[in-house]
Every structure is written in C-alpha cells, then in structure tokens.
Amino acid sequence: MKKAYLIVAHKYPGQLHRLIDRLNDDRSHFFIHIDKKVDISKFASLQTFHHVLTFINRHDGRWGKWGVILPLLESLNYIKNSNIYFDRLILLSGQDYPIKSNNEINNFLSSSPFSVFINFFPVPNFNKWPGADRGGLFRFDKYYIGNKRFELLASKALNLSANFFPFLRRKIPNRMLPYAGSAWIILDMYALNYILLFVDANPEYFNYHRNTFVADEAFVHMIIGNSNDKELISRTENIEKHFIIWPNKQSAHPKILDNSDFDAIKLSGHLFARKFDEHIDSEILDLIDRNILDKN
C-alpha cells in the first residue's frame, strides 16, 4: 500500500513535523504545501524527511477563498506528471493527526472494497444550513471574493448588481448540480486522473470556483457528485475518515480536540482526527501516541 499524503499547513511547524514523523513508514511520501504568507524558514526541521518529502509550489490558502483548492490540484498534477503510482492519495491539514497505527491504516485501505472516500451531499441542505443560508445555495449563486473589508464590499456590490442585470448572475457551468461536503478526502489514481481530465476539459469550471465560498468543500465534490462514470462510482464510498467534533450544526470551524475527547477518539472507527492545537492542549497528542500509536 503506497500512499501519498497531501498536507496543507500555515502554522505550527513543530506540530507538522510530529504529524509527518508519525505517518512516516517505508510506504509513504509527503507532498507539503506551506501557505505563501508564512515564513518558510520556520519549517526548516522538515528537511529531516527530505528523502520522502516534496514541497509543492506555494499559494495563498486564505480560508474561504478559491486559493485553498490550488494545493490539491498542484499535488495531483505533480503526481501525474511524475509517473509515480500511489495506491491512495490522502489529503490532510497540518493540524490533523492519525488515530490508527500505520499498519491499521494500510490494512483498512488495502481491504476496503472502496478506494475513494469523500463525504458529499446535494445542496440545498437545510438541515446543515438553515434560514438565510438557503440550505447553502448562497455558496453557489452568490459571489464571494474574500473577507477583507474591500472584498466584502466588492462581493456585495456584485451580488446586488446581479439582481438587476441577469448577465451578471452567477451560474454553475455545464448544468452541473451543486454538491458540498468535507474537504478531507482520500482518492486513488483513477480519481486523480478523472479530476484532472475534467478540470482540463472544463476551464470554466475552475474559473467558476474562483468566487465560491469555501471552494475546497465543493470543488471535488461536484465533480464526483455529477459523474456518471461507473468505474469512479464503484470505487467511491460517501464517507469521510476523519473524526471531527462540531460545536453545532452551523459551526464554521470544528472544536479544538483536547484530553477530554480521548475516549471518543479511541472508540472511533476513523483513521484520522482533527483539529489539534499543541498550544492549547498537547496532552491529547501524547495520549494518542502512548495509547493508540504505541509511541513513547
């Protein structure tokens, strides 16, 4: 089971180093994206893993903006052009952590009848996004430029103008239906090629997502959700393999996990968990090391 871990990070170099160290076996390679806004020198310790690590081109991965999808596409293109075959491609953040040993991860991925794991659902979803969010449709029919003051004003002006000028209205290309879901996915090489071929053949799809709010929760999901490819469908299970606690259904960010969550983590059937912050609670990572990963 040869794995590629695609890891996006923008802070906590020590925590990222620890994550790679825990996942580093003789069957993994790490493609690392460090946000363009961050001082890369702070991540110098990662050179320890130079033989199994590749830094990909850096982008501005500001939360909510379309730049968050670029590290994934950059990694997928790098792998495709390198002609290196990986059984699985696993997308993580620098604040994730394994909650199964490397052997358990390999055994699960090898024995599962599925090789693509992605949580996706059609929008609108009024249970998740009630009220003014219109079931999440605002992500797809409203412009989002960014959360800075001038960006919010520009978004508001565009959306207001679109009410009066139909040609400005934001429309999903190719009559695709809107889908959304968790950004944390596992792919195989078939899905990699399918996604990249779709993006290459439909440049308007990529351009559309330049103005999608939290595009990484829709970009791949819409491609798979709208696919009629029987082979891709047969490989895909609609599930994510991350343990996450959301404070409530409408929360934009997950709970920072701490030692009070350990029992739930240990009982979980997931492979990874998020979100951890060593500056808030590093004890939870120590507990996972000792009691789940057998690391002292």
Side-chain angles (χ1 to χ4, degrees):
M1 177 58 62
K2 189 172 178 61
K3 305 179 298 300
Y5 285 102
L6 322 176
I7 305 179
V8 293
H10 65 279
K11 59 181 178 180
Y12 302 157
Q15 192 168 324
L16 176 58
H17 187 285
R18 182 174 184 167
L19 169 64
I20 296 172
D21 181 67
R22 295 300 179 264
L23 294 172
N24 188 24
D25 55 17
D26 59 356
R27 291 175 281 186
S28 298
H29 193 90
F30 302 89
F31 296 87
I32 307 297
H33 177 263
I34 305 299
D35 192 278
K36 194 174 183 178
K37 302 183 296 298
V38 178
D39 180 2
I40 191 69
S41 66
K42 294 181 179 180
F43 293 83
S45 72
L46 297 185
Q47 293 300 333
T48 303
F49 308 106
H50 65 91
H51 57 297
V52 293
L53 185 148
T54 301
F55 286 104
I56 63 172
N57 292 330
R58 301 170 67 194
H59 302 279
D60 182 353
R62 191 156 30 117
W63 182 82
K65 294 198 66 174
W66 69 280
V68 294
I69 65 175
L70 297 180
L72 174 61
L73 291 176
E74 186 84 32
S75 299
L76 299 185
N77 273 299
Y78 187 98
I79 292 170
K80 182 177 182 178
N81 294 331
S82 70
N83 293 318
I84 301 173
Y85 182 88
F86 290 99
D87 295 287
R88 301 292 181 271
L89 319 169
I90 303 170
L91 180 61
L92 302 175
S93 86
Q95 290 184 260
D96 292 353
Y97 210 66
I99 55 173
K100 295 289 185 290
S101 69
N102 286 321
N103 284 337
E104 288 175 304
I105 292 172
N106 289 331
N107 289 340
F108 170 81
L109 295 175
S110 298
S111 62
S112 174
F114 302 101
S115 51
V116 177
F117 303 90
I118 175 172
N119 161 249
F120 65 102
F121 50 83
V123 175
N125 183 331
F126 292 100
N127 184 50
K128 183 172 180 60
W129 293 304
D133 287 348
R134 297 182 295 119
L137 283 173
F138 75 100
R139 297 184 176 216
F140 300 93
D141 62 13
K142 299 297 182 183
Y143 292 94
Y144 177 79
I145 298 175
N147 59 6
K148 294 182 179 179
R149 179 177 169 78
F150 75 92
E151 292 171 331
L152 291 171
L153 289 173
S155 301
K156 187 175 182 178
L158 261 176
N159 290 320
L160 182 61
S161 298
N163 292 330
F164 300 98
F165 303 102
F167 71 92
L168 286 177
R169 290 173 187 165
R170 192 162 182 257
K171 297 179 181 178
I172 300 175
N174 304 325
R175 297 185 177 180
M176 295 175 73
L177 299 175
Y179 283 83
S182 171
W184 312 109
I185 61 179
I186 299 175
L187 305 172
D188 62 10
M189 295 296 288
Y190 187 91
L192 175 150
N193 285 299
Y194 186 93
I195 292 165
L196 292 182
L197 285 171
F198 182 91
V199 173
D200 287 344
N202 300 276
E204 69 281 2
Y205 180 75
F206 176 82
N207 290 328
Y208 165 81
H209 280 295
R210 289 176 180 269
N211 298 117
T212 298
F213 177 61
V214 196
D216 58 330
E217 294 183 359
F219 191 85
V220 174
H221 312 72
M222 284 181 59
I223 294 175
I224 292 180
N226 283 276
S227 175
N228 293 315
D229 187 279
K230 292 182 179 180
E231 180 63 26
L232 179 64
I233 293 170
S234 71
R235 293 167 176 257
T236 302
E237 183 175 16
N238 189 341
I239 193 173
E240 69 172 327
K241 301 307 295 180
H242 272 68
F243 174 88
I244 301 174
I245 296 177
W246 295 95
N248 57 67
K249 291 182 179 180
Q250 288 75 49
S251 297
H253 302 287
K255 176 184 185 291
I256 299 297
L257 300 174
D258 56 41
N259 59 10
S260 69
D261 301 307
F262 176 73
D263 288 341
I265 290 171
K266 188 174 182 179
L267 293 172
S268 167
H270 294 86
L271 303 179
F272 309 96
R274 72 183 316 268
K275 189 175 186 181
F276 298 97
D277 189 323
E278 63 182 4
H279 297 280
I280 294 177
D281 188 336
S282 62
E283 182 182 354
I284 180 63
L285 299 177
D286 297 334
L287 287 171
I288 293 171
D289 281 352
R290 290 194 304 268
N291 298 286
I292 296 178
L293 305 182
D294 293 325
K295 300 285 186 179
N296 296 319

